[in-house]
Amino acid sequence: LEERVAQLAAALSEAGFLADVVEADDATAKGLPTLRLVQHHCVIQGVAREHPEICTYEAAAFARALGTDVEVARHETIADGAPACVCTVSARTG
């Protein structure tokens, strides 16, 4: 999981989103890692402010790219005034 999320962060950084991965404060649920994918820059910020559904679609695209064994949840967006766009990524249980 960590490797896949790191690869996604690297691809996002190459595209100008300045992304990194950090362990979540509540790092493990049931012994499984929980990561935060943090985007420090939004190259589509103006459009995302007018069309916030783009942020939802982006998180869904991350989930598809990372695989069916993970869950991705968007928690913060730059378009909504947060300092960064943040998704949590965790292994799907069950």
Side-chain angles (χ1 to χ4, degrees):
L1 177 62
E2 293 90 348
E3 179 64 28
R4 286 183 280 165
V5 179
Q7 289 174 347
L8 176 58
L12 288 167
S13 290
E14 285 181 28
F17 289 92
L18 302 176
D20 60 15
V21 182
V22 295
E23 193 170 283
D25 294 337
D26 51 353
T28 57
K30 297 183 182 179
L32 301 171
T34 300
L35 305 170
R36 291 190 188 271
L37 175 64
V38 182
Q39 296 166 260
H40 300 279
H41 180 69
C42 181
V43 297
I44 59 168
Q45 182 177 352
V47 174
R49 277 196 182 122
E50 292 184 32
H51 301 281
E53 66 273 13
I54 289 173
C55 301
T56 302
Y57 296 140
E58 181 182 57
F62 294 166
R64 284 191 304 277
L66 292 170
T68 59
D69 61 332
V70 301
E71 293 182 18
V72 176
R74 172 79 75 188
H75 295 283
E76 300 175 38
T77 65
I78 293 170
D80 282 337
C85 294
V86 180
C87 287
T88 56
V89 182
S90 57
R92 189 178 299 277
T93 56

